[in-house]
PDB file of all heavy atoms in Angstrom:
ATOM      1  N   PHE B 154     206.397-104.637  38.212  1.00 97.00           N
ATOM      2  CA  PHE B 154     205.309-104.603  39.192  1.00 97.00           C
ATOM      3  C   PHE B 154     205.024-103.168  39.621  1.00 97.00           C
ATOM      4  O   PHE B 154     205.855-102.278  39.457  1.00 97.00           O
ATOM      5  CB  PHE B 154     205.615-105.510  40.400  1.00 97.00           C
ATOM      6  CG  PHE B 154     206.846-105.121  41.153  1.00 97.00           C
ATOM      7  CD1 PHE B 154     206.755-104.307  42.271  1.00 97.00           C
ATOM      8  CD2 PHE B 154     208.105-105.570  40.740  1.00 97.00           C
ATOM      9  CE1 PHE B 154     207.893-103.937  42.965  1.00 97.00           C
ATOM     10  CE2 PHE B 154     209.242-105.209  41.436  1.00 97.00           C
ATOM     11  CZ  PHE B 154     209.136-104.390  42.553  1.00 97.00           C
ATOM     12  N   VAL B 155     203.792-103.018  40.176  1.00 97.00           N
ATOM     13  CA  VAL B 155     203.385-101.694  40.628  1.00 97.00           C
ATOM     14  C   VAL B 155     204.018-101.454  41.994  1.00 97.00           C
ATOM     15  O   VAL B 155     203.915-102.308  42.886  1.00 97.00           O
ATOM     16  CB  VAL B 155     201.843-101.603  40.732  1.00 97.00           C
ATOM     17  CG1 VAL B 155     201.415-100.198  41.179  1.00 97.00           C
ATOM     18  CG2 VAL B 155     201.202-101.965  39.400  1.00 97.00           C
ATOM     19  N   ALA B 156     204.673-100.307  42.130  1.00 95.00           N
ATOM     20  CA  ALA B 156     205.360 -99.995  43.383  1.00 95.00           C
ATOM     21  C   ALA B 156     204.371-100.055  44.542  1.00 95.00           C
ATOM     22  O   ALA B 156     203.281 -99.498  44.460  1.00 95.00           O
ATOM     23  CB  ALA B 156     206.000 -98.612  43.307  1.00 95.00           C
ATOM     24  N   GLY B 157     204.706-100.776  45.575  1.00 95.00           N
ATOM     25  CA  GLY B 157     203.836-100.891  46.746  1.00 95.00           C
ATOM     26  C   GLY B 157     202.736-101.928  46.577  1.00 95.00           C
ATOM     27  O   GLY B 157     202.005-102.227  47.519  1.00 95.00           O
ATOM     28  N   GLN B 158     202.553-102.461  45.359  1.00 95.00           N
ATOM     29  CA  GLN B 158     201.535-103.497  45.130  1.00 95.00           C
ATOM     30  C   GLN B 158     202.175-104.653  44.363  1.00 95.00           C
ATOM     31  O   GLN B 158     201.877-104.873  43.197  1.00 95.00           O
ATOM     32  CB  GLN B 158     200.370-102.936  44.301  1.00 95.00           C
ATOM     33  CG  GLN B 158     199.611-101.806  44.984  1.00 95.00           C
ATOM     34  CD  GLN B 158     198.599-101.209  44.024  1.00 95.00           C
ATOM     35  OE1 GLN B 158     198.865-100.172  43.423  1.00 95.00           O
ATOM     36  NE2 GLN B 158     197.469-101.869  43.852  1.00 95.00           N
ATOM     37  N   PRO B 159     203.063-105.386  45.007  1.00 92.00           N
ATOM     38  CA  PRO B 159     203.864-106.389  44.305  1.00 92.00           C
ATOM     39  C   PRO B 159     203.034-107.478  43.635  1.00 92.00           C
ATOM     40  O   PRO B 159     203.542-108.204  42.802  1.00 92.00           O
ATOM     41  CB  PRO B 159     204.759-106.966  45.412  1.00 92.00           C
ATOM     42  CG  PRO B 159     204.126-106.564  46.700  1.00 92.00           C
ATOM     43  CD  PRO B 159     203.394-105.301  46.437  1.00 92.00           C
ATOM     44  N   ARG B 160     201.761-107.609  43.985  1.00 94.00           N
ATOM     45  CA  ARG B 160     200.947-108.632  43.326  1.00 94.00           C
ATOM     46  C   ARG B 160     200.475-108.189  41.948  1.00 94.00           C
ATOM     47  O   ARG B 160     200.095-109.040  41.129  1.00 94.00           O
ATOM     48  CB  ARG B 160     199.734-108.971  44.176  1.00 94.00           C
ATOM     49  CG  ARG B 160     200.146-109.738  45.420  1.00 94.00           C
ATOM     50  CD  ARG B 160     198.954-110.185  46.200  1.00 94.00           C
ATOM     51  NE  ARG B 160     199.398-111.106  47.234  1.00 94.00           N
ATOM     52  CZ  ARG B 160     198.629-112.058  47.742  1.00 94.00           C
ATOM     53  NH1 ARG B 160     197.417-112.216  47.293  1.00 94.00           N
ATOM     54  NH2 ARG B 160     199.105-112.832  48.685  1.00 94.00           N
ATOM     55  N   ARG B 161     200.470-106.897  41.715  1.00 96.00           N
ATOM     56  CA  ARG B 161     200.130-106.437  40.353  1.00 96.00           C
ATOM     57  C   ARG B 161     201.422-106.461  39.545  1.00 96.00           C
ATOM     58  O   ARG B 161     202.189-105.518  39.533  1.00 96.00           O
ATOM     59  CB  ARG B 161     199.537-105.024  40.397  1.00 96.00           C
ATOM     60  CG  ARG B 161     198.138-104.991  40.987  1.00 96.00           C
ATOM     61  CD  ARG B 161     197.627-103.579  41.038  1.00 96.00           C
ATOM     62  NE  ARG B 161     197.404-103.009  39.706  1.00 96.00           N
ATOM     63  CZ  ARG B 161     197.243-101.706  39.481  1.00 96.00           C
ATOM     64  NH1 ARG B 161     197.296-100.845  40.487  1.00 96.00           N
ATOM     65  NH2 ARG B 161     197.067-101.246  38.246  1.00 96.00           N
ATOM     66  N   ARG B 162     201.649-107.594  38.927  1.00 97.00           N
ATOM     67  CA  ARG B 162     202.929-107.813  38.282  1.00 97.00           C
ATOM     68  C   ARG B 162     202.759-108.567  36.976  1.00 97.00           C
ATOM     69  O   ARG B 162     201.791-109.278  36.773  1.00 97.00           O
ATOM     70  CB  ARG B 162     203.846-108.617  39.202  1.00 97.00           C
ATOM     71  CG  ARG B 162     203.278-109.992  39.560  1.00 97.00           C
ATOM     72  CD  ARG B 162     203.920-110.556  40.804  1.00 97.00           C
ATOM     73  NE  ARG B 162     205.317-110.883  40.563  1.00 97.00           N
ATOM     74  CZ  ARG B 162     206.296-110.599  41.407  1.00 97.00           C
ATOM     75  NH1 ARG B 162     206.033-110.002  42.538  1.00 97.00           N
ATOM     76  NH2 ARG B 162     207.518-110.928  41.131  1.00 97.00           N
ATOM     77  N   VAL B 163     203.767-108.409  36.111  1.00 96.00           N
ATOM     78  CA  VAL B 163     203.809-109.181  34.867  1.00 96.00           C
ATOM     79  C   VAL B 163     205.277-109.375  34.497  1.00 96.00           C
ATOM     80  O   VAL B 163     206.092-108.469  34.667  1.00 96.00           O
ATOM     81  CB  VAL B 163     202.997-108.488  33.733  1.00 96.00           C
ATOM     82  CG1 VAL B 163     203.534-107.094  33.441  1.00 96.00           C
ATOM     83  CG2 VAL B 163     202.990-109.337  32.467  1.00 96.00           C
ATOM     84  N   SER B 164     205.610-110.596  34.069  1.00 95.00           N
ATOM     85  CA  SER B 164     207.014-110.848  33.738  1.00 95.00           C
ATOM     86  C   SER B 164     207.292-110.483  32.287  1.00 95.00           C
ATOM     87  O   SER B 164     206.382-110.412  31.458  1.00 95.00           O
ATOM     88  CB  SER B 164     207.351-112.321  33.972  1.00 95.00           C
ATOM     89  OG  SER B 164     206.729-113.102  32.967  1.00 95.00           O
TER      90      SER B 164
END
Side-chain angles (χ1 to χ4, degrees):
Chain B
F154 61 95
V155 181
Q158 297 173 261
R160 289 185 170 207
R161 289 178 67 195
R162 60 200 292 136
V163 59
S164 72

